[in-house]
Amino acid sequence: MGGILVVLTLQGGAATPAGLDLLGLAAEIAQVDGGEVTALALGEGGAGAGQGLISRGADAVLYCADPALARHPGEAGMQVLAQAEREVQPDLLLLAADSVGRDLGPRIAARLGAGLVTEATSAALHAGRVEVTRPVFGGKAIARMAATTAQAVITLRPGAGAARAADPSRTGTVRELAVQIAPAANWPTVVRREVEASSGPRLEEATAIVSGGRGVGGPEGFSLLHELAQALGGAVGASRAAVDEGWVPAALQIGQTGKAVAPDLYIAVGISGASQHMVGCARAKTLVAINRDPDALIFDAARLGLVGDYREALPALTRAIRELS
Ligand SMILES: Cc1cc2nc3c(=O)[nH]c(=O)nc-3n(C[C@H](O)[C@H](O)[C@H](O)COP(=O)(O)OP(=O)(O)OC[C@H]3O[C@@H](n4cnc5c(N)ncnc54)[C@H](O)[C@@H]3O)c2cc1C
């Protein structure tokens, strides 16, 4: 395989955990199959972040901090990405399946006539080409796919790659990408950004997740889940049903149309175990289910199951964990 171009959006001058996961995946593929990994860092702070990206698996870093990227991530991002692609001529382009990657991935693939696989939940090298898995038929089945074109574009869901530990001895080039961006009046523009307040670890990085579903019955029930998550040093997640009810923000949704997570411990509370939810927590090391229906599907996937009302089970569990720790 030739080179790999990894598209990273910087936040606060640093790569996001999802970006570092992509970089780790690219480095893993390149290690087996050869080829250079180039990180394209979009946003302010690229020069400063460069060496950090090298230490995490990039062989070269191209950065662009043009202010137009913040205001027009789609249109300006496309110009920068197209320029980087011309210079690097990679066989594989990896993007996060986030708002930027979902916008840029299909557009660059169409321009290049490259094969496109979106929303991959894993990717690995098989017989010289990158094969990905992706939920299909509403999450009821997992498809294995690979582009048959010489050049491929893949967007990956959070948790699909694995960040490498920083290796400060790695060396590489860091260079600013020269792109003239002239924003047009009709470009879609970001007018405001709101950062959701949160405490505790991010879902993508949490080693323990307590996730609530429709069975939690309302927003107030989630306070019991927060207490347990806090005792475990973990994070709270949710099923789509709980999000659709408006009990918790959409950012907490786990599953096919939410996040894919890989904690050591996943406690599913009042969640029935629909395939579209399970695809998001399939990589949890230990799954514990608390459900009052003994026939709930979730018990088929759970290593430990507790049949009962979560309102009784959770306070006792939280107390026991606090005593133990
Ligand atoms: C295209 C598509 C994409 C989707 N994407 C997602 C996704 O990303 N994530 C996702 O989660 N879903 C997704 N869904 C929805 C999914 O099919 C299910 O509808 C959803 O996961 C059900 O959520 P739930 O398990 O919380 O609710 P329910 O299926 O209603 O289950 C509630 C459970 O709570 C139990 N319960 C009730 N009261 C209590 C109590 N007091 N104590 C303990 N247990 C109790 C019940 O026995 C039941 O098992 C998607 C669906 C489609 C079609």
Side-chain angles (χ1 to χ4, degrees), residues 78-324:
M78 207 37 222
Q79 295 199 358
V80 177
L81 176 56
Q83 176 66 28
E85 194 282 331
R86 276 193 291 275
E87 293 192 17
V88 176
Q89 302 206 333
D91 282 351
L92 178 64
L93 288 88
L94 296 181
L95 299 95
D98 57 13
S99 59
V100 175
R102 285 184 179 125
D103 189 343
L104 300 184
R107 292 169 68 181
I108 191 78
R111 262 195 203 193
L112 300 172
L116 169 72
V117 188
T118 58
E119 308 290 324
T121 48
S122 75
L125 201 61
H126 287 285
R129 66 180 185 181
V130 176
E131 230 177 62
V132 308
T133 57
R134 180 193 199 285
V136 290
F137 299 122
K140 290 193 166 55
I142 303 290
R144 284 167 61 178
M145 297 178 166
T148 52
T149 45
Q151 211 176 18
V153 179
I154 300 176
T155 70
L156 291 122
R157 302 267 302 274
R164 293 193 150 191
D167 174 359
S169 69
R170 282 180 52 85
T171 54
T173 55
V174 179
R175 173 167 72 81
E176 185 170 12
L177 192 67
V179 192
Q180 298 297 325
I181 303 173
N186 63 353
W187 279 9
T189 305
V190 174
V191 288
R192 196 176 72 221
R193 285 177 199 272
E194 278 178 31
V195 180
E196 222 161 70
S198 70
S199 59
R202 287 159 39 91
L203 272 175
E204 294 88 336
E205 294 143 39
T207 52
I209 294 176
V210 185
S211 202
R214 202 191 322 265
V216 172
E220 50 302 320
F222 268 86
S223 60
L224 292 179
L225 277 76
H226 278 286
E227 282 177 30
L228 177 57
Q230 205 174 21
L232 290 164
V236 169
S239 74
R240 175 155 147 187
V243 169
D244 286 350
E245 295 282 358
W247 301 340
V248 288
L252 299 197
Q253 185 179 319
I254 287 163
Q256 184 192 333
T257 41
K259 289 178 176 156
V261 293
D264 293 337
L265 174 65
Y266 189 83
I267 304 180
V269 182
I271 292 177
S272 60
S275 57
Q276 295 91 351
H277 183 80
M278 300 314 289
V279 78
C281 59
R283 292 190 305 132
K285 289 204 184 104
T286 301
L287 188 115
V288 176
I290 301 174
N291 197 302
R292 67 179 180 192
D293 173 8
D295 296 322
L297 213 55
I298 189 109
F299 289 124
D300 292 349
R303 174 126 165 245
L304 292 170
L306 196 155
V307 179
D309 192 319
Y310 83 94
R311 283 167 289 211
E312 289 171 31
L314 285 201
L317 201 53
T318 306
R319 252 195 322 276
I321 286 163
R322 281 191 186 134
E323 277 167 23
L324 281 172

Side-chain angles (χ1 to χ4, degrees), residues 8-44:
L8 305 166
T9 310
L10 301 180
Q11 275 172 20
T16 60
L20 293 177
D21 281 356
L22 285 190
L23 204 51
L25 175 67
E28 195 181 301
I29 294 170
Q31 195 170 355
V32 179
D33 212 44
E36 192 165 271
V37 175
T38 304
L40 173 63
L42 303 175
E44 273 177 38

